[in-house]
Amino acid sequence: MPQFRLSEAARLLGVSDDTVRRWVRAGQLTAFDDSAGRKVVDGAELAAFAKTQAEQPEDPSNVGRSARNRFVGLVTEVVTDKVMAQVELQCGPHRVVSLMSAEAVRELGLRPGVLAVAVVKATTVVIETPEGSR
């Protein structure tokens, strides 16, 4: 069974080590000692906990769509030339980059600080694990 040290769990959840320790003390996460005597949490429990903690900002577009992967964030950078543009959003801890026409950037009014939603509809998603598997 995969196990993660408290510092690893903190990095995966995007919080401080102290926050993970508080969750353990409050009984929200279960920690136990591994064979080296370090405090660890079970990977399956951590995954379930991560799902309950994930709060997506409300999608301001109020549009129904089939794509389930929506990332609400702030535009952080826009690079345009005459025809094409690269738009970067910061969606929580995730950086999302989109290539689109310069015309679309102008029509949408995209510039740093603008609230936007990246909608991803992919037929291929590659999943990798460090060093094969744990």
Side-chain angles (χ1 to χ4, degrees), residues 18-74:
D18 287 338
T19 297
V20 173
R21 283 192 279 279
R22 278 193 295 277
W23 286 334
V24 168
R25 281 195 302 273
Q28 294 176 277
L29 272 174
T30 306
F32 54 93
D33 293 332
D34 68 4
S35 59
R38 298 174 299 199
K39 291 285 185 200
V40 295
V41 293
D42 172 68
E45 181 182 350
L46 185 61
F49 183 77
K51 281 180 78 170
T52 66
Q53 294 299 305
E55 286 187 33
Q56 277 282 72
E58 188 172 321
D59 186 338
S61 63
N62 200 25
V63 174
R65 58 178 74 83
S66 64
R68 295 292 176 242
N69 301 313
R70 300 177 194 165
F71 300 94
V72 178
L74 293 173

Side-chain angles (χ1 to χ4, degrees), residues 74-106:
L74 293 173
V75 175
T76 56
E77 187 174 358
V78 178
V79 178
T80 60
D81 63 19
K82 189 173 181 177
V83 178
M84 293 301 295
Q86 176 179 310
V87 178
E88 181 177 308
L89 277 74
Q90 192 66 41
C91 305
H94 305 287
R95 175 179 170 257
V96 179
V97 178
S98 177
L99 302 177
M100 65 184 72
S101 70
E103 178 183 25
V105 167
R106 288 188 300 274

